[in-house]
Amino acid sequence: MKKNWIVLTALMLVLSAFLAACSGDGEKTTTNEGTASGEPQDGGTLVYSLDSSPEGLFSWSFYGNATDAEVISFFDESLIDYDENLKPQPNIASWKTEDNKVYTFTFKEGVKWHNGEELTVNDWVFALETLADKDYDGPRYTNVQTIEGAPAYHDGSADSISGIKVIDDYNIEITFDKARVNNLENVWTYAMPAKEFEGIAVKDMASSEQVRTKPVGLGPFKIKNIVPGESVEFERFDDYFNGKPHLDGIVLKVIDPSLTIGELQNNTLDMTAFHPSIKADIEALDNVKIEQYPGLSYYYIGFRLGTWDGSKNVMNEPKYQDLKLRQAMYYAMNRDEWNEAFFYGVGKTVNTPVPSNHWISADNSELEQYKYDPEKAKSLLDEAGYKDVDGDGFREDPNGDPFTVKFSHYATNNPTFETRAQAIVQYWEEVGLKTELSMTDVNLYYDQIEKADKSIEVFFGGWSTGTDPDPSGLWRSDALWNYSRWVSEKSDKLLDDALDVSIVGTDQDKRKELYVEWQKQFMEELPALPVAELDEVMALNKRVQGVTFDVSGTNRPNEWWIQQ
């Protein structure tokens, strides 16, 4: 399975569940060659850096941020893979369906967990039932709720999920509630080691040692030692089903971004994603090469328009409901200047919440541009009644009361984050909107947003999207990760129609037409302000070989090796 390495210090979805995607150009951006004979060498330990401390939820079912996802990807595995065009491919499981509603999956035999137990379909059933359990408080129920009978199991009116039929240890039939184009991409495809979790209630799983300190996976490396907040040490898993890894081990350690260049130069760091602000300094190192490849991530500014009532979003927060206010804040931002200043040629301005590398992405010419126009911003604010009543240089609200934009940005060890946030504050203040900036630790940030913490009103966020291009998991009215709490019947209908086999069949062009209309609707209602999309960048010591990159990420680390 490819790994999508992310520089975003934002909550990352394993969105085979939620988001999505489509077609890249099919070409690898780079391949590191091996020795002169082309033969990989065995042995050695690779050091890989993390730019912030893991939260410590080392399970696909429970993790919450990008750093934890990076850790998990080294030791666990998805049942299905995605190729360079982001099309699903068999990995541990293969499948067949005749109607996009009923799927039969067949598992490879002899696949081992790190505890020596053999993987069976029952481990997948255990994971699906965990996510559907009424006591599961994570955001991934959406990845199982379309299985027939999952809602009844979720509300306690059924003892099992009726759409799951175990045929034998290696074969299982999954029936969905209706035929959809993306049932395969949306369903949860990560098993859990059932034996490891015996006797642990679902409500206690996230805090258990099986998630926190002694996780067991199916991947090429197994966990040897965890120093909370500092490092994770892996050792080779010789029984990995895709082939014994070349490396003896991998060490992931938290490195302050200000030390990255020195660590690379001293050969004490082999591989790291990095912020574009230090790209030129890394390019100057003789022992390091930079790989830049197409990304599937974007940044945006969201507004807290409402709250989550436990099953859906409710737009009940009035402060930012005025569309003209949101439009004015968008026109006030010089996004081209901001991207150039803080992403150094790696980022570019976007006018849609869909990365341009997705096949559903609308052409920029089809979308409202919201080009930098501070005078238009001021005019819109005037029209909406936001005027400077007391002459202090800042606008009051339409009732004449003081008005302050409370803007939040996540904080890590990266010093550029506060600087770029301050630049946005300045844009808004230049059109008369008094703005207060709050920098919040990244491990607390998204939890506060998810819970609609009153201290966070306008927030900077980022998503890395994955395999299925459907944005429903982030922007539908009943999506937990719809952090703006945007509710729109028209939006929901367009998203639903794009997945409805009776409407789009297997016609990709019809599906894209609906998604383009949805993007236009999004930019018309403007529940969030798309700011930038990024290419991915990775620095590698030249001794590291066998790593390949494309839009889907990297190849699996069992293929990586170190030139001795």
Side-chain angles (χ1 to χ4, degrees), residues 320-336:
Y320 299 94
Q321 293 286 349
D322 193 317
L323 176 60
K324 288 183 178 180
L325 170 62
R326 302 197 301 275
Q327 289 175 326
M329 293 172 71
Y330 212 12
Y331 279 116
M333 293 175 61
N334 190 336
R335 291 178 292 150
D336 290 339

Side-chain angles (χ1 to χ4, degrees), residues 333-537:
M333 293 175 61
N334 190 336
R335 291 178 292 150
D336 290 339
E337 175 187 74
W338 188 88
N339 274 305
E340 181 63 30
F342 297 106
F343 291 130
Y344 304 86
V346 174
K348 66 179 181 180
T349 301
V350 290
N351 297 300
T352 169
V354 176
S356 60
N357 286 313
H358 282 322
W359 60 267
I360 69 165
S361 180
D363 187 275
N364 196 48
S365 64
E366 299 180 87
L367 300 166
E368 179 65 49
Q369 300 298 298
Y370 289 100
K371 290 184 178 180
Y372 175 56
D373 190 340
E375 293 308 312
K376 187 166 186 175
K378 292 175 184 177
S379 177
L380 284 166
L381 290 169
D382 288 342
E383 291 173 20
Y386 293 85
K387 299 180 179 180
D388 181 8
V389 176
D390 58 12
D392 67 349
F394 293 112
R395 298 170 184 266
E396 279 67 44
D397 71 14
N399 296 319
D401 296 324
F403 183 84
T404 301
V405 175
K406 292 184 177 180
F407 178 49
S408 298
H409 193 297
Y410 48 81
T412 69
N413 293 326
N414 192 321
T416 68
F417 287 180
E418 184 167 1
T419 306
R420 74 187 188 193
Q422 288 285 5
I424 294 171
V425 169
Q426 184 175 341
Y427 289 139
W428 291 335
E429 293 203 332
E430 285 175 352
V431 297
L433 292 174
K434 185 176 181 180
T435 304
E436 293 179 357
L437 174 64
S438 174
M439 300 295 295
T440 303
D441 182 85
V442 67
N443 288 325
L444 303 174
Y445 187 69
Y446 282 96
D447 187 56
Q448 290 182 332
I449 293 174
E450 190 170 299
K451 294 176 179 176
D453 189 298
K454 294 291 185 181
S455 66
I456 296 183
E457 297 180 351
V458 181
F459 54 91
F460 190 92
W463 287 117
S464 173
T465 65
T467 53
D468 172 21
D470 176 52
S472 298
L474 297 182
W475 297 112
R476 206 178 182 284
S477 298
D478 60 357
L480 176 61
W481 276 332
N482 174 355
Y483 287 148
S484 289
R485 306 306 172 205
W486 175 44
V487 177
S488 169
E489 289 185 11
K490 185 172 182 180
S491 165
D492 291 349
K493 186 176 189 311
L494 286 167
L495 292 175
D496 291 346
D497 287 351
L499 298 177
D500 194 328
V501 173
S502 69
I503 294 175
V504 298
T506 57
D507 189 331
Q508 186 165 293
D509 290 337
K510 283 185 179 179
R511 194 178 176 202
K512 179 172 181 176
E513 286 175 11
L514 290 166
Y515 283 129
V516 169
E517 286 304 310
W518 177 81
Q519 290 166 76
K520 292 177 180 177
Q521 184 67 23
F522 184 99
M523 296 306 291
E524 184 177 310
E525 296 192 33
L526 216 60
L529 314 179
V531 176
E533 68 175 0
L534 303 182
D535 281 347
E536 306 297 347
V537 283

Side-chain angles (χ1 to χ4, degrees), residues 245-313:
H246 298 297
L247 296 169
D248 290 332
I250 295 176
V251 175
L252 272 61
K253 62 179 182 179
V254 179
I255 297 178
D256 188 307
S258 66
L259 304 177
T260 296
I261 296 169
E263 295 268 359
L264 287 168
Q265 186 173 23
N266 294 332
N267 295 309
T268 51
L269 174 61
D270 293 306
M271 188 171 178
T272 182
F274 61 89
H275 192 269
S277 59
I278 60 172
K279 184 181 178 187
D281 295 312
I282 294 177
E283 285 175 331
L285 300 177
D286 293 335
N287 63 326
V288 177
K289 67 184 300 184
I290 291 176
E291 306 294 356
Q292 183 169 332
Y293 55 101
L296 293 173
S297 58
Y298 68 93
Y299 290 107
Y300 69 98
I301 291 171
F303 300 91
R304 180 162 58 82
L305 301 175
T307 55
W308 173 258
D309 74 357
S311 61
K312 65 182 184 303
N313 293 298

Side-chain angles (χ1 to χ4, degrees), residues 226-238:
I226 295 175
V227 179
E230 295 183 17
S231 65
V232 180
E233 184 179 356
F234 299 95
E235 59 185 349
R236 183 181 64 227
F237 181 49
D238 290 344

Side-chain angles (χ1 to χ4, degrees), residues 65-76:
N65 68 25
T67 308
D68 284 359
E70 282 189 275
V71 175
I72 299 166
S73 67
F74 283 98
F75 75 85
D76 209 359

Side-chain angles (χ1 to χ4, degrees), residues 81-101:
D81 197 1
Y82 290 87
D83 64 18
E84 66 274 12
N85 295 313
L86 298 174
K87 299 296 184 184
Q89 302 294 327
N91 188 32
I92 294 172
S94 57
W95 61 89
K96 58 183 180 180
T97 183
E98 295 180 357
D99 59 4
N100 278 43
K101 181 178 180 181

